[in-house]
Amino acid sequence: MKTVLAFCLLTLVCASADAQSNRDQRKDFVEGLLKSLIDSQLDRGRPSPDRTPPNLPPNADLQQAQVFLDALTNQSAQLVNLLRVEERSMPQLRPLLADALTIHADARMLRDDSRSVRDQRALTNSVREFDRKWRTLAHRLKQIPELGRASLRTIDSITDLNTSLSQLLGIDPQFDRNSLLRLSSSVSTSMGHLNQELRYQLHRNPIRDQILTQGYQLSLQASQLVSLVDRSDYKSIVASTQSFQQAWKVFAVRLRELNSERIQRDMLEIEQSLRDISEILWLTAPIDKAQIVQLTQTIEREFDLFLDNVSLAQLIRLNQTQNLIKQSTQFHASAHLFAETAERSQNLNDLSWDFQVLEVEWKEFLVEARRVNLPAAQQQIQMIQRSMNILQNMLNLRPQLDRRELLPVVASADDLSDRLLGTGKRIIGNSGAYPGTFRIKFLNELNELHDSAHQLHDGLIQTKSESELQRDAEHLIEHWNGVKQLVPQLRQQDQQQIMQIMAQLEPNMVKLQVIFY
């Protein structure tokens, strides 16, 4: 008995030691990424603020700004530590941890800059960018219901400090106006398509004129929203957005009664754009029970179409057909159960739990469904995936791997790595200043970096499995580190050109490393 007890204790000690070792490795990893972020911006040669003449004390407002920035640096470091602990049990936090790292790096650089300027107004542009990044991150973090109280308190503290600093510098709330303009334009375009579809489908409907009039009024509102986004302040844009959302909600109720698949597809496009607009404006999107029911019906309908498109001959050509049949049966049962729950339940927690079960079944089904090489069947899969994504957002559930969020990060990495390769070829490819072996090695590494980024980008578009994306991301990170190891061997003037692009690529690579590490 003593021997068994001793063995159990030894096992527990070893397990505890392994867990502590993993935590220490993760901490070192995150701190290393933070250092890379800061170093990359320094190497990039950020515009230097006006230096303070010797022995000239800062004015009162600058002193107050320095106090705020000291506190922001400390609180953002605290947030990174808290999220680093929480992401062990919530992997979906990893992209936001990467954003928190960027926030902390920016706060530290702002704090250091504040010690070397003559006037607090020299910090205005950098604080504007910080404000935009922070407000977006704070909103997204607060949408996560499982987030710990300590993290929430720290978020509130940073928000208060950021607001005080912005008011001191006379800065209004900053938001991503370009993305907002793109999304509002998308809503306006989609409303035009929807009205055309309504005009075509309702030619014999007795309430045709009423619905078309309502649709045209909404289309006009959408156009007005685009104009406001281009030139108005935050409060005016929020008021116009909320007015459109309310009018759309009333209109959507009437459209759902038409029970048209093509109309519902246009509605999904508009509703997804409206949810994205809400996030940019830091608005909590209201839960629309009718939309949840509609989405579940869409999933069931598209799944039935998928099954209709897969012929017996196609099944015979597939290996291990029984796996596809098994996963199809399980997902169909889970989708039907979720649809029933959505219609009768008033409790979002019940819906969230049932949706997570449905999501597991969906991922297992996808592994088999991707082997069905039929364009029509793959179109149904994409429609189901889109509906699943919208449901997930509505229920405030973040996926472990958010493809919609990851896509612009990887697209940017693809573009910047291409620019990096072009710059490398131009300044190093034919240069006699380097041995031929080094030129070949460096350019090969740049080429592998771009190929890996492009492959990951294509994989996201083609909806590769998560394990395939993991491998692609690991290859990209490997070649990124390979390039970074070779850059110090370049001449100073060549380093500067390469580092200018690498500094822009660094935040994307940090995010990818946090997500896929």
PDB file of all heavy atoms in Angstrom, residues 143 145-146 287 292 338 341-342 345-360 391-398:
ATOM      1  N   GLN A 143     -17.369  40.883 -24.607  1.00  0.00           N
ATOM      2  CA  GLN A 143     -18.424  40.038 -25.167  1.00  0.00           C
ATOM      3  C   GLN A 143     -18.261  38.573 -24.754  1.00  0.00           C
ATOM      4  O   GLN A 143     -19.137  37.749 -25.049  1.00  0.00           O
ATOM      5  CB  GLN A 143     -18.406  40.118 -26.704  1.00  0.00           C
ATOM      6  CG  GLN A 143     -18.628  41.508 -27.271  1.00  0.00           C
ATOM      7  CD  GLN A 143     -19.894  42.168 -26.764  1.00  0.00           C
ATOM      8  OE1 GLN A 143     -20.981  41.629 -26.933  1.00  0.00           O
ATOM      9  NE2 GLN A 143     -19.742  43.319 -26.130  1.00  0.00           N
ATOM     10  N   PRO A 145     -18.536  35.867 -22.172  1.00  0.00           N
ATOM     11  CA  PRO A 145     -19.212  35.738 -20.868  1.00  0.00           C
ATOM     12  C   PRO A 145     -18.365  35.038 -19.825  1.00  0.00           C
ATOM     13  O   PRO A 145     -18.557  35.271 -18.623  1.00  0.00           O
ATOM     14  CB  PRO A 145     -20.481  34.922 -21.204  1.00  0.00           C
ATOM     15  CG  PRO A 145     -20.224  34.278 -22.516  1.00  0.00           C
ATOM     16  CD  PRO A 145     -19.254  35.145 -23.242  1.00  0.00           C
ATOM     17  N   GLU A 146     -17.415  34.171 -20.236  1.00  0.00           N
ATOM     18  CA  GLU A 146     -16.623  33.403 -19.265  1.00  0.00           C
ATOM     19  C   GLU A 146     -15.412  34.171 -18.742  1.00  0.00           C
ATOM     20  O   GLU A 146     -14.672  33.659 -17.906  1.00  0.00           O
ATOM     21  CB  GLU A 146     -16.134  32.092 -19.894  1.00  0.00           C
ATOM     22  CG  GLU A 146     -17.236  31.193 -20.422  1.00  0.00           C
ATOM     23  CD  GLU A 146     -17.550  31.485 -21.870  1.00  0.00           C
ATOM     24  OE1 GLU A 146     -17.036  32.501 -22.399  1.00  0.00           O
ATOM     25  OE2 GLU A 146     -18.307  30.701 -22.480  1.00  0.00           O
ATOM     26  N   ILE A 287     -29.953  40.323 -29.521  1.00  0.00           N
ATOM     27  CA  ILE A 287     -30.251  38.938 -29.895  1.00  0.00           C
ATOM     28  C   ILE A 287     -31.628  38.890 -30.551  1.00  0.00           C
ATOM     29  O   ILE A 287     -32.627  39.275 -29.949  1.00  0.00           O
ATOM     30  CB  ILE A 287     -30.224  38.017 -28.660  1.00  0.00           C
ATOM     31  CG1 ILE A 287     -28.830  38.062 -28.004  1.00  0.00           C
ATOM     32  CG2 ILE A 287     -30.578  36.592 -29.056  1.00  0.00           C
ATOM     33  CD1 ILE A 287     -27.715  37.510 -28.851  1.00  0.00           C
ATOM     34  N   ILE A 292     -32.334  33.630 -35.128  1.00  0.00           N
ATOM     35  CA  ILE A 292     -31.731  32.363 -34.704  1.00  0.00           C
ATOM     36  C   ILE A 292     -32.527  31.188 -35.276  1.00  0.00           C
ATOM     37  O   ILE A 292     -31.955  30.233 -35.814  1.00  0.00           O
ATOM     38  CB  ILE A 292     -31.656  32.280 -33.162  1.00  0.00           C
ATOM     39  CG1 ILE A 292     -30.632  33.289 -32.627  1.00  0.00           C
ATOM     40  CG2 ILE A 292     -31.279  30.866 -32.714  1.00  0.00           C
ATOM     41  CD1 ILE A 292     -30.548  33.335 -31.117  1.00  0.00           C
ATOM     42  N   PHE A 338     -31.181  21.168 -32.168  1.00  0.00           N
ATOM     43  CA  PHE A 338     -30.906  22.584 -31.930  1.00  0.00           C
ATOM     44  C   PHE A 338     -32.047  23.446 -32.469  1.00  0.00           C
ATOM     45  O   PHE A 338     -32.427  24.441 -31.839  1.00  0.00           O
ATOM     46  CB  PHE A 338     -29.588  22.995 -32.580  1.00  0.00           C
ATOM     47  CG  PHE A 338     -29.214  24.425 -32.315  1.00  0.00           C
ATOM     48  CD1 PHE A 338     -28.697  24.802 -31.082  1.00  0.00           C
ATOM     49  CD2 PHE A 338     -29.411  25.396 -33.277  1.00  0.00           C
ATOM     50  CE1 PHE A 338     -28.370  26.128 -30.822  1.00  0.00           C
ATOM     51  CE2 PHE A 338     -29.092  26.722 -33.031  1.00  0.00           C
ATOM     52  CZ  PHE A 338     -28.565  27.083 -31.803  1.00  0.00           C
ATOM     53  N   THR A 341     -34.818  23.344 -29.991  1.00  0.00           N
ATOM     54  CA  THR A 341     -34.465  24.143 -28.807  1.00  0.00           C
ATOM     55  C   THR A 341     -34.600  25.633 -29.102  1.00  0.00           C
ATOM     56  O   THR A 341     -35.104  26.402 -28.275  1.00  0.00           O
ATOM     57  CB  THR A 341     -33.023  23.829 -28.361  1.00  0.00           C
ATOM     58  OG1 THR A 341     -32.897  22.424 -28.137  1.00  0.00           O
ATOM     59  CG2 THR A 341     -32.670  24.578 -27.085  1.00  0.00           C
ATOM     60  N   ALA A 342     -34.155  26.051 -30.294  1.00  0.00           N
ATOM     61  CA  ALA A 342     -34.209  27.468 -30.663  1.00  0.00           C
ATOM     62  C   ALA A 342     -35.640  27.977 -30.714  1.00  0.00           C
ATOM     63  O   ALA A 342     -35.921  29.125 -30.345  1.00  0.00           O
ATOM     64  CB  ALA A 342     -33.528  27.670 -32.014  1.00  0.00           C
ATOM     65  N   SER A 345     -36.978  27.615 -26.609  1.00  0.00           N
ATOM     66  CA  SER A 345     -36.220  28.071 -25.441  1.00  0.00           C
ATOM     67  C   SER A 345     -36.103  29.584 -25.401  1.00  0.00           C
ATOM     68  O   SER A 345     -35.927  30.242 -26.432  1.00  0.00           O
ATOM     69  CB  SER A 345     -34.811  27.449 -25.458  1.00  0.00           C
ATOM     70  OG  SER A 345     -34.049  27.949 -24.373  1.00  0.00           O
ATOM     71  N   GLN A 346     -36.197  30.131 -24.204  1.00  0.00           N
ATOM     72  CA  GLN A 346     -35.958  31.559 -23.975  1.00  0.00           C
ATOM     73  C   GLN A 346     -34.634  31.779 -23.249  1.00  0.00           C
ATOM     74  O   GLN A 346     -34.275  32.914 -22.944  1.00  0.00           O
ATOM     75  CB  GLN A 346     -37.101  32.157 -23.133  1.00  0.00           C
ATOM     76  CG  GLN A 346     -38.463  32.076 -23.801  1.00  0.00           C
ATOM     77  CD  GLN A 346     -38.530  32.845 -25.101  1.00  0.00           C
ATOM     78  OE1 GLN A 346     -37.941  33.917 -25.218  1.00  0.00           O
ATOM     79  NE2 GLN A 346     -39.234  32.299 -26.084  1.00  0.00           N
ATOM     80  N   ASN A 347     -33.920  30.696 -22.995  1.00  0.00           N
ATOM     81  CA  ASN A 347     -32.681  30.766 -22.220  1.00  0.00           C
ATOM     82  C   ASN A 347     -31.474  30.667 -23.165  1.00  0.00           C
ATOM     83  O   ASN A 347     -31.253  29.636 -23.795  1.00  0.00           O
ATOM     84  CB  ASN A 347     -32.644  29.612 -21.202  1.00  0.00           C
ATOM     85  CG  ASN A 347     -31.491  29.768 -20.220  1.00  0.00           C
ATOM     86  OD1 ASN A 347     -30.450  30.317 -20.544  1.00  0.00           O
ATOM     87  ND2 ASN A 347     -31.688  29.271 -19.002  1.00  0.00           N
ATOM     88  N   LEU A 348     -30.701  31.742 -23.249  1.00  0.00           N
ATOM     89  CA  LEU A 348     -29.546  31.742 -24.149  1.00  0.00           C
ATOM     90  C   LEU A 348     -28.474  30.757 -23.705  1.00  0.00           C
ATOM     91  O   LEU A 348     -27.725  30.236 -24.534  1.00  0.00           O
ATOM     92  CB  LEU A 348     -28.949  33.152 -24.220  1.00  0.00           C
ATOM     93  CG  LEU A 348     -29.725  34.170 -25.057  1.00  0.00           C
ATOM     94  CD1 LEU A 348     -29.000  35.497 -25.084  1.00  0.00           C
ATOM     95  CD2 LEU A 348     -29.942  33.659 -26.473  1.00  0.00           C
ATOM     96  N   ASN A 349     -28.385  30.499 -22.414  1.00  0.00           N
ATOM     97  CA  ASN A 349     -27.400  29.525 -21.944  1.00  0.00           C
ATOM     98  C   ASN A 349     -27.697  28.132 -22.494  1.00  0.00           C
ATOM     99  O   ASN A 349     -26.784  27.390 -22.877  1.00  0.00           O
ATOM    100  CB  ASN A 349     -27.371  29.488 -20.409  1.00  0.00           C
ATOM    101  CG  ASN A 349     -26.754  30.734 -19.819  1.00  0.00           C
ATOM    102  OD1 ASN A 349     -25.913  31.377 -20.450  1.00  0.00           O
ATOM    103  ND2 ASN A 349     -27.175  31.102 -18.623  1.00  0.00           N
ATOM    104  N   ASP A 350     -29.003  27.772 -22.533  1.00  0.00           N
ATOM    105  CA  ASP A 350     -29.379  26.483 -23.124  1.00  0.00           C
ATOM    106  C   ASP A 350     -28.992  26.432 -24.597  1.00  0.00           C
ATOM    107  O   ASP A 350     -28.451  25.436 -25.092  1.00  0.00           O
ATOM    108  CB  ASP A 350     -30.890  26.252 -22.991  1.00  0.00           C
ATOM    109  CG  ASP A 350     -31.317  25.998 -21.541  1.00  0.00           C
ATOM    110  OD1 ASP A 350     -30.423  25.718 -20.716  1.00  0.00           O
ATOM    111  OD2 ASP A 350     -32.523  26.088 -21.254  1.00  0.00           O
ATOM    112  N   LEU A 351     -29.275  27.528 -25.306  1.00  0.00           N
ATOM    113  CA  LEU A 351     -28.928  27.579 -26.725  1.00  0.00           C
ATOM    114  C   LEU A 351     -27.423  27.492 -26.924  1.00  0.00           C
ATOM    115  O   LEU A 351     -26.943  26.813 -27.835  1.00  0.00           O
ATOM    116  CB  LEU A 351     -29.449  28.879 -27.344  1.00  0.00           C
ATOM    117  CG  LEU A 351     -30.922  28.931 -27.738  1.00  0.00           C
ATOM    118  CD1 LEU A 351     -31.271  30.304 -28.286  1.00  0.00           C
ATOM    119  CD2 LEU A 351     -31.235  27.863 -28.764  1.00  0.00           C
ATOM    120  N   SER A 352     -26.669  28.184 -26.093  1.00  0.00           N
ATOM    121  CA  SER A 352     -25.209  28.174 -26.228  1.00  0.00           C
ATOM    122  C   SER A 352     -24.660  26.768 -26.024  1.00  0.00           C
ATOM    123  O   SER A 352     -23.771  26.319 -26.767  1.00  0.00           O
ATOM    124  CB  SER A 352     -24.578  29.135 -25.207  1.00  0.00           C
ATOM    125  OG  SER A 352     -24.993  30.460 -25.443  1.00  0.00           O
ATOM    126  N   TRP A 353     -25.182  26.073 -25.024  1.00  0.00           N
ATOM    127  CA  TRP A 353     -24.712  24.716 -24.757  1.00  0.00           C
ATOM    128  C   TRP A 353     -25.039  23.792 -25.920  1.00  0.00           C
ATOM    129  O   TRP A 353     -24.184  23.042 -26.399  1.00  0.00           O
ATOM    130  CB  TRP A 353     -25.344  24.201 -23.468  1.00  0.00           C
ATOM    131  CG  TRP A 353     -24.988  22.760 -23.185  1.00  0.00           C
ATOM    132  CD1 TRP A 353     -25.767  21.667 -23.370  1.00  0.00           C
ATOM    133  CD2 TRP A 353     -23.725  22.281 -22.698  1.00  0.00           C
ATOM    134  NE1 TRP A 353     -25.081  20.526 -23.015  1.00  0.00           N
ATOM    135  CE2 TRP A 353     -23.821  20.865 -22.599  1.00  0.00           C
ATOM    136  CE3 TRP A 353     -22.533  22.897 -22.327  1.00  0.00           C
ATOM    137  CZ2 TRP A 353     -22.771  20.075 -22.155  1.00  0.00           C
ATOM    138  CZ3 TRP A 353     -21.483  22.109 -21.895  1.00  0.00           C
ATOM    139  CH2 TRP A 353     -21.607  20.720 -21.801  1.00  0.00           C
ATOM    140  N   ASP A 354     -26.278  23.840 -26.405  1.00  0.00           N
ATOM    141  CA  ASP A 354     -26.684  22.975 -27.519  1.00  0.00           C
ATOM    142  C   ASP A 354     -25.908  23.315 -28.787  1.00  0.00           C
ATOM    143  O   ASP A 354     -25.594  22.429 -29.590  1.00  0.00           O
ATOM    144  CB  ASP A 354     -28.185  23.098 -27.778  1.00  0.00           C
ATOM    145  CG  ASP A 354     -29.014  22.382 -26.712  1.00  0.00           C
ATOM    146  OD1 ASP A 354     -28.407  21.636 -25.917  1.00  0.00           O
ATOM    147  OD2 ASP A 354     -30.231  22.572 -26.669  1.00  0.00           O
ATOM    148  N   PHE A 355     -25.606  24.601 -28.965  1.00  0.00           N
ATOM    149  CA  PHE A 355     -24.852  24.980 -30.163  1.00  0.00           C
ATOM    150  C   PHE A 355     -23.431  24.405 -30.121  1.00  0.00           C
ATOM    151  O   PHE A 355     -22.900  23.973 -31.161  1.00  0.00           O
ATOM    152  CB  PHE A 355     -24.771  26.501 -30.305  1.00  0.00           C
ATOM    153  CG  PHE A 355     -23.961  26.924 -31.510  1.00  0.00           C
ATOM    154  CD1 PHE A 355     -24.543  26.945 -32.763  1.00  0.00           C
ATOM    155  CD2 PHE A 355     -22.631  27.256 -31.383  1.00  0.00           C
ATOM    156  CE1 PHE A 355     -23.802  27.298 -33.882  1.00  0.00           C
ATOM    157  CE2 PHE A 355     -21.875  27.615 -32.489  1.00  0.00           C
ATOM    158  CZ  PHE A 355     -22.467  27.637 -33.739  1.00  0.00           C
ATOM    159  N   GLN A 356     -22.814  24.393 -28.948  1.00  0.00           N
ATOM    160  CA  GLN A 356     -21.459  23.841 -28.848  1.00  0.00           C
ATOM    161  C   GLN A 356     -21.452  22.344 -29.185  1.00  0.00           C
ATOM    162  O   GLN A 356     -20.501  21.844 -29.792  1.00  0.00           O
ATOM    163  CB  GLN A 356     -20.898  24.102 -27.455  1.00  0.00           C
ATOM    164  CG  GLN A 356     -20.614  25.582 -27.211  1.00  0.00           C
ATOM    165  CD  GLN A 356     -20.163  25.877 -25.800  1.00  0.00           C
ATOM    166  OE1 GLN A 356     -19.038  25.571 -25.418  1.00  0.00           O
ATOM    167  NE2 GLN A 356     -21.038  26.472 -25.001  1.00  0.00           N
ATOM    168  N   VAL A 357     -22.510  21.638 -28.802  1.00  0.00           N
ATOM    169  CA  VAL A 357     -22.635  20.228 -29.192  1.00  0.00           C
ATOM    170  C   VAL A 357     -22.771  20.125 -30.712  1.00  0.00           C
ATOM    171  O   VAL A 357     -22.129  19.302 -31.365  1.00  0.00           O
ATOM    172  CB  VAL A 357     -23.853  19.579 -28.498  1.00  0.00           C
ATOM    173  CG1 VAL A 357     -24.059  18.156 -29.009  1.00  0.00           C
ATOM    174  CG2 VAL A 357     -23.661  19.572 -26.982  1.00  0.00           C
ATOM    175  N   LEU A 358     -23.620  20.998 -31.281  1.00  0.00           N
ATOM    176  CA  LEU A 358     -23.809  21.015 -32.734  1.00  0.00           C
ATOM    177  C   LEU A 358     -22.499  21.317 -33.452  1.00  0.00           C
ATOM    178  O   LEU A 358     -22.199  20.712 -34.494  1.00  0.00           O
ATOM    179  CB  LEU A 358     -24.867  22.064 -33.095  1.00  0.00           C
ATOM    180  CG  LEU A 358     -25.175  22.248 -34.584  1.00  0.00           C
ATOM    181  CD1 LEU A 358     -25.790  20.985 -35.161  1.00  0.00           C
ATOM    182  CD2 LEU A 358     -26.108  23.448 -34.787  1.00  0.00           C
ATOM    183  N   GLU A 359     -21.711  22.238 -32.900  1.00  0.00           N
ATOM    184  CA  GLU A 359     -20.450  22.622 -33.543  1.00  0.00           C
ATOM    185  C   GLU A 359     -19.468  21.450 -33.594  1.00  0.00           C
ATOM    186  O   GLU A 359     -18.757  21.260 -34.585  1.00  0.00           O
ATOM    187  CB  GLU A 359     -19.823  23.804 -32.801  1.00  0.00           C
ATOM    188  CG  GLU A 359     -18.583  24.353 -33.489  1.00  0.00           C
ATOM    189  CD  GLU A 359     -17.925  25.462 -32.698  1.00  0.00           C
ATOM    190  OE1 GLU A 359     -18.119  25.518 -31.466  1.00  0.00           O
ATOM    191  OE2 GLU A 359     -17.208  26.261 -33.307  1.00  0.00           O
ATOM    192  N   VAL A 360     -19.416  20.669 -32.519  1.00  0.00           N
ATOM    193  CA  VAL A 360     -18.544  19.494 -32.505  1.00  0.00           C
ATOM    194  C   VAL A 360     -18.948  18.520 -33.611  1.00  0.00           C
ATOM    195  O   VAL A 360     -18.102  18.010 -34.365  1.00  0.00           O
ATOM    196  CB  VAL A 360     -18.593  18.796 -31.125  1.00  0.00           C
ATOM    197  CG1 VAL A 360     -17.869  17.454 -31.178  1.00  0.00           C
ATOM    198  CG2 VAL A 360     -17.956  19.690 -30.062  1.00  0.00           C
ATOM    199  N   LEU A 391     -24.452  32.311 -36.123  1.00  0.00           N
ATOM    200  CA  LEU A 391     -25.017  31.836 -34.855  1.00  0.00           C
ATOM    201  C   LEU A 391     -24.006  31.941 -33.727  1.00  0.00           C
ATOM    202  O   LEU A 391     -24.337  32.342 -32.604  1.00  0.00           O
ATOM    203  CB  LEU A 391     -25.476  30.380 -35.012  1.00  0.00           C
ATOM    204  CG  LEU A 391     -26.882  30.143 -35.567  1.00  0.00           C
ATOM    205  CD1 LEU A 391     -27.094  28.655 -35.814  1.00  0.00           C
ATOM    206  CD2 LEU A 391     -27.937  30.677 -34.608  1.00  0.00           C
ATOM    207  N   GLN A 392     -22.796  31.555 -34.009  1.00  0.00           N
ATOM    208  CA  GLN A 392     -21.737  31.606 -33.003  1.00  0.00           C
ATOM    209  C   GLN A 392     -21.535  33.032 -32.503  1.00  0.00           C
ATOM    210  O   GLN A 392     -21.419  33.282 -31.291  1.00  0.00           O
ATOM    211  CB  GLN A 392     -20.452  31.065 -33.619  1.00  0.00           C
ATOM    212  CG  GLN A 392     -19.377  30.694 -32.631  1.00  0.00           C
ATOM    213  CD  GLN A 392     -18.303  29.870 -33.307  1.00  0.00           C
ATOM    214  OE1 GLN A 392     -17.814  30.216 -34.371  1.00  0.00           O
ATOM    215  NE2 GLN A 392     -17.910  28.777 -32.698  1.00  0.00           N
ATOM    216  N   ASN A 393     -21.510  34.001 -33.430  1.00  0.00           N
ATOM    217  CA  ASN A 393     -21.360  35.403 -33.050  1.00  0.00           C
ATOM    218  C   ASN A 393     -22.555  35.884 -32.241  1.00  0.00           C
ATOM    219  O   ASN A 393     -22.402  36.597 -31.236  1.00  0.00           O
ATOM    220  CB  ASN A 393     -21.206  36.275 -34.306  1.00  0.00           C
ATOM    221  CG  ASN A 393     -19.875  36.072 -34.986  1.00  0.00           C
ATOM    222  OD1 ASN A 393     -18.916  35.647 -34.359  1.00  0.00           O
ATOM    223  ND2 ASN A 393     -19.810  36.356 -36.275  1.00  0.00           N
ATOM    224  N   MET A 394     -23.764  35.500 -32.653  1.00  0.00           N
ATOM    225  CA  MET A 394     -24.960  35.946 -31.948  1.00  0.00           C
ATOM    226  C   MET A 394     -25.001  35.436 -30.516  1.00  0.00           C
ATOM    227  O   MET A 394     -25.503  36.108 -29.617  1.00  0.00           O
ATOM    228  CB  MET A 394     -26.209  35.466 -32.697  1.00  0.00           C
ATOM    229  CG  MET A 394     -26.429  36.148 -34.033  1.00  0.00           C
ATOM    230  SD  MET A 394     -27.942  35.591 -34.842  1.00  0.00           S
ATOM    231  CE  MET A 394     -29.180  36.376 -33.796  1.00  0.00           C
ATOM    232  N   LEU A 395     -24.464  34.238 -30.295  1.00  0.00           N
ATOM    233  CA  LEU A 395     -24.477  33.639 -28.963  1.00  0.00           C
ATOM    234  C   LEU A 395     -23.220  33.982 -28.166  1.00  0.00           C
ATOM    235  O   LEU A 395     -22.988  33.424 -27.087  1.00  0.00           O
ATOM    236  CB  LEU A 395     -24.619  32.115 -29.090  1.00  0.00           C
ATOM    237  CG  LEU A 395     -25.921  31.638 -29.743  1.00  0.00           C
ATOM    238  CD1 LEU A 395     -25.872  30.134 -30.008  1.00  0.00           C
ATOM    239  CD2 LEU A 395     -27.119  31.978 -28.864  1.00  0.00           C
ATOM    240  N   ASN A 396     -22.402  34.917 -28.712  1.00  0.00           N
ATOM    241  CA  ASN A 396     -21.174  35.365 -28.037  1.00  0.00           C
ATOM    242  C   ASN A 396     -20.219  34.205 -27.734  1.00  0.00           C
ATOM    243  O   ASN A 396     -19.598  34.154 -26.672  1.00  0.00           O
ATOM    244  CB  ASN A 396     -21.508  36.112 -26.737  1.00  0.00           C
ATOM    245  CG  ASN A 396     -22.162  37.450 -26.994  1.00  0.00           C
ATOM    246  OD1 ASN A 396     -21.859  38.110 -27.983  1.00  0.00           O
ATOM    247  ND2 ASN A 396     -23.067  37.844 -26.120  1.00  0.00           N
ATOM    248  N   LEU A 397     -20.141  33.286 -28.685  1.00  0.00           N
ATOM    249  CA  LEU A 397     -19.212  32.161 -28.557  1.00  0.00           C
ATOM    250  C   LEU A 397     -18.101  32.345 -29.574  1.00  0.00           C
ATOM    251  O   LEU A 397     -18.358  32.448 -30.773  1.00  0.00           O
ATOM    252  CB  LEU A 397     -19.933  30.828 -28.812  1.00  0.00           C
ATOM    253  CG  LEU A 397     -21.053  30.469 -27.840  1.00  0.00           C
ATOM    254  CD1 LEU A 397     -21.818  29.260 -28.355  1.00  0.00           C
ATOM    255  CD2 LEU A 397     -20.485  30.178 -26.455  1.00  0.00           C
ATOM    256  N   ARG A 398     -16.876  32.398 -29.102  1.00  0.00           N
ATOM    257  CA  ARG A 398     -15.742  32.561 -30.016  1.00  0.00           C
ATOM    258  C   ARG A 398     -15.174  31.187 -30.349  1.00  0.00           C
ATOM    259  O   ARG A 398     -14.899  30.395 -29.445  1.00  0.00           O
ATOM    260  CB  ARG A 398     -14.648  33.427 -29.395  1.00  0.00           C
ATOM    261  CG  ARG A 398     -15.090  34.851 -29.124  1.00  0.00           C
ATOM    262  CD  ARG A 398     -13.896  35.704 -28.724  1.00  0.00           C
ATOM    263  NE  ARG A 398     -12.944  35.794 -29.804  1.00  0.00           N
ATOM    264  CZ  ARG A 398     -13.014  36.666 -30.800  1.00  0.00           C
ATOM    265  NH1 ARG A 398     -14.020  37.509 -30.860  1.00  0.00           N
ATOM    266  NH2 ARG A 398     -12.104  36.703 -31.738  1.00  0.00           N
TER     267      ARG A 398
END
